[in-house]
Amino acid sequence: MSQIPYESAAYEASSVEGCYWTATCAAPDCPPLEGEAQAEAVVVGAGYTGLSAALHLARAGMDVAVLDRHGPGWGASGRNGGFACIGGSKLDRGQMVRAYGAEARAEWVRAEREAIGTVERLAGELGIGIDRHSDGEAMLAHSARAMADIRADAGPAGAEYGVRAEVLEPESLAERGLSAAGMHGGLRLPVGFGLNPRKYVTGLARGCLAAGVRIHGNSAVARIVREGGAYLIQTPSGRLRARRLVLATNGYASDDLPDWMRARFLPVQSSVLVTRPITAEERQAQGWTSDLMAYDSRHLLHYFRMLPEGRFLFGMRGGIRWTPAAHRKIRAQMRADFEAMFPAWTSVETPFFWSGLANLTRRLVPHVGPVGDWPDSVVAFGYHGNGVAMASWSGLQAAKLLLGEAHGLPGFVMAAPKRFELGRARRLALAGAYVWYGLLDRR
Ligand SMILES: Cc1cc2nc3c(=O)[nH]c(=O)nc-3n(C[C@H](O)[C@H](O)[C@H](O)COP(=O)(O)OP(=O)(O)OC[C@H]3O[C@@H](n4cnc5c(N)ncnc54)[C@H](O)[C@@H]3O)c2cc1C
């Protein structure tokens, strides 16, 4: 395999084993690319980014081929927490305004809102049953200090998103069915919703196929070269020539596909537990009866929601290595955190556990722009663990860029991402960052 930042097991078909969503819907049949082929546009990566781009290009009348190492939704798009929410950057409001100015911040907030609207629109247009629930999301304060910040920020946050942000006083958590141990209150922002991520990505793939897109699974792209004014794409069993290129590999990208990508991204693991169905009595006993999706205010946050089918999903950052031992360790840590936050559920089993790769950039903002100086090319990545909505929107913007249409990309999203230090060993820096943020979270 080409130059990948993690152990090769992270990129194998089996890395999605244990994922609860896999059994909830069947993937369409996508045969590998065989022999010589042509298309007007080629998209590498069949997650939300690639499929959203492909759909828009096909609707504009273009002949599009999508190539994926495994198949639609095999990457993060088929195995995430299903929060269709605001986010995509790790910069908070103050940091973004200081770095890029108030106008750029306003453009970003517009993009976040449009991103959620994109998911809603695509699911509606394509008739995808996404198991939608949750009117917005709640952030629960893990400390008195975090609650003080929430009180101070509720007004500006609501004003920025054009909604009423609701402060959840500590004593109201129980009556709202949002009781988790150690929480000091919270904030509900009525923006976003929960969905089944695999149903959504599979629906996008079926929508692409219906629009005439060719999707090839088991077609890992080994090389992309420019030749005779076109892109020549090499897979194990085929070769495809196309004038336009969309690179949509996000956390599963390689440092040499093409060389311009080297160290411009940092994949990070996120991991998820899903319980067996929780009975009504068990929900009452814990005091968690709400369908609101939620996360806590830690830097190393936990995200959780009661699924419509009555199972509870609980996620957090994953390990630094992709090995069985590292996964055993993170699974035990997650189980301990789950029991600490939901003590009435210590006897509720969590039969499903899996991990996947999300992606960061050095400036902590997503990137959508050309692949270096390659003409008619776009790459989109780096949603910082919040890509259900932002990747769907970025794929659409990528298509607009290629088509020369008006787009809504803030300038800082289009600026070429800086490289991380440490080259291919860059993920090792995460160890120090996790210790540091863990210490901050004790305050
Ligand atoms: C465990 C987990 C939980 C998450 N929870 C949430 C959440 O609740 N809400 C939220 O908004 N975001 C969440 N995210 C992030 C979100 O899932 C991602 O940002 C989003 O799915 C990115 O979509 P994508 O299409 O860009 O990339 P991906 O879905 O990762 O797709 C990339 C694709 O590229 C393919 N590929 C890579 N290299 C090649 C190659 N050489 N040749 C061919 N194909 C290739 C891969 O096979 C893969 O299918 C989570 C992520 C993880 C891992």
Side-chain angles (χ1 to χ4, degrees), residues 141-143 180-184 298 340-341:
H142 75 287
S143 66
M183 295 301 153
H184 295 248
R298 294 177 172 93
M341 289 175 74

Side-chain angles (χ1 to χ4, degrees), residues 285-306:
Q286 172 55 46
W288 193 281
T289 53
S290 174
D291 82 331
L292 202 57
M293 57 188 190
Y295 58 101
D296 65 33
S297 52
R298 294 177 172 93
H299 290 92
L300 303 177
L301 60 83
H302 303 90
Y303 50 94
F304 34 94
R305 63 187 179 105
M306 187 66 77

